[in-house]
């Protein structure tokens, strides 16, 4: 089994920095991938330098055999943390809209944003990754596109906050807009074309696709995305001054993918 890890230079910089890492949404796809990369990087120091948060308390068992206690996100203000990097992935995703209704869905995500923004304002985070989405391009009508509108609002909240903190903390902020992701720890596979194809293959086929027109995707590997974000946070160069789109090296038509 090949475990995910940060690239050599980025991993070395993180270890030597002495910084801890805080992850929100630790039980999700990006959260679990990031945990494995940090486990590979920190080794014996992993459990003392990584602090994980999710919707509820749990213990995550990593592929290395390591175990990590995950705290409920609402405990973030009460846990004492030293200087750290923050990977903020926590968000109620699209499938909750129909379950909760738009008003409750908006309220739940606003609570998450408020908790994390207050944490960032406290000043211990030296750098932060805020995951955004290509859904921000689907319109600004809250009823029609609540997920995308809330992601756009998050971008604005954290960009404004980083600008306010620039003189006092010089916090580095990275906001990647995610479109299509690939790699280990894919959860809810039925919600993604790639996941559905993989599930059909594992069942022995056939692969079933249905679309009225050609569908194209450009996949980014989860480890490449995480490594890029940490490299920017730990680097000496400029930080992107606005959210940026992510894409793979080429577009793939999903029929060809299958």
């Amino acid at each position: 089994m090949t475990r995910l890890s940060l690239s050599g230079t980025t991993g070395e910089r993180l270890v030597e920095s002495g910084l801890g890492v805080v992850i929100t949404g630790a039980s999700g796809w990006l959260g679990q991938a990031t945990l494995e990369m940090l486990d590979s990087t920190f080794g014996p120091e992993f459990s003392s330098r990584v602090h994980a948060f999710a919707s509820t308390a749990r213990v995550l068992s990593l592929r290395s055999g390591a175990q990590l206690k995950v705290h409920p996100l609402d405990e973030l203000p009460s846990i004492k943390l030293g200087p750290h990097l923050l990977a903020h992935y926590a968000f109620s995703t699209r499938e909750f809209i129909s379950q909760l209704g738009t008003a409750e869905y908006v309220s739940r995500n606003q609570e998450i944003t408020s908790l994390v923004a207050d944490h960032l304002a406290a000043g211990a985070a030296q750098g932060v990754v805020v995951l955004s989405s290509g859904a921000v391009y689907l319109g600004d009508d809250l009823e029609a596109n609540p997920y995308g509108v809330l992601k756009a609002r998050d971008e604005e909240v954290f960009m404004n906050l980083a600008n306010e903190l620039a003189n006092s903390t010089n916090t580095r902020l990275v906001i990647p807009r995610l479109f299509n992701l690939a790699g280990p720890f894919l959860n809810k596979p039925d919600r993604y074309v790639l996941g559905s194809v993989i599930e059909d293959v594992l069942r022995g086929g056939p692969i079933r696709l249905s679309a009225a027109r050609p569908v194209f995707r450009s996949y980014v590997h989860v480890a490449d995305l995480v490594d890029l974000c940490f490299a920017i946070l730990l680097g000496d160069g400029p930080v992107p001054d606005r959210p940026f789109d992510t894409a793979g090296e080429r577009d793939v038509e999903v029929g060809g993918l299958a």
Side-chain angles (χ1 to χ4, degrees), residues 79-196:
I79 294 180
K80 185 175 177 59
L81 298 165
H84 60 271
L85 303 179
L86 169 63
H88 175 37
Y89 307 138
F91 205 88
S92 291
T93 46
R94 288 182 179 90
E95 70 269 20
F96 290 100
I97 299 170
S98 60
Q99 298 175 26
L100 300 172
T102 301
E104 178 61 27
Y105 178 77
V106 169
S107 177
R108 177 175 294 190
N109 277 309
Q110 286 176 333
E111 289 178 8
I112 293 172
T113 299
S114 179
L115 271 171
V116 178
D118 287 348
H119 173 75
L120 184 58
Q126 306 297 297
V128 56
V129 178
V130 176
L131 185 67
S132 189
S133 169
V136 300
Y137 295 114
L138 298 179
D140 57 6
D141 184 328
L142 183 62
E143 287 295 329
N145 182 31
Y147 178 76
V149 170
L150 292 177
K151 281 293 187 182
R153 290 179 182 177
D154 265 16
E155 291 180 359
E156 184 175 5
V157 165
F158 287 102
M159 288 178 64
N160 289 341
L161 184 53
N163 288 333
E164 292 172 11
L165 295 172
N167 293 330
S168 58
T169 65
N170 197 30
T171 301
R172 298 169 73 89
L173 172 67
V174 179
I175 306 180
R177 287 175 175 160
L178 184 60
F179 288 79
N180 307 122
L181 195 64
F185 304 107
L186 185 157
N187 58 355
K188 307 170 186 173
D190 58 309
R191 293 184 54 234
Y192 305 100
V193 171
L194 179 60
S196 296

Side-chain angles (χ1 to χ4, degrees), residues 49-71:
R49 292 184 64 172
V50 176
H51 306 273
F53 295 84
S55 56
T56 59
R58 67 197 76 181
V59 175
L60 286 179
S61 298
L62 278 65
R63 297 197 295 182
S64 67
Q67 292 191 321
L68 185 70
K69 180 179 180 181
V70 178
H71 302 275

Side-chain angles (χ1 to χ4, degrees), residues 199-250:
E199 284 200 319
D200 283 345
V201 170
L202 292 176
R203 281 194 292 263
I207 298 172
R208 297 179 175 86
L209 298 172
S210 59
R213 58 186 183 276
V215 176
F216 292 88
R217 294 289 186 267
S218 183
Y219 287 100
V220 174
H221 194 279
V222 63
D224 291 337
L225 177 65
V226 174
D227 194 70
L228 171 64
C229 292
F230 275 78
I232 296 172
L233 294 185
L234 293 160
D236 300 321
V239 177
D241 60 0
R242 58 180 61 87
F244 59 89
D245 295 349
T246 61
E249 295 179 348
R250 61 191 179 97

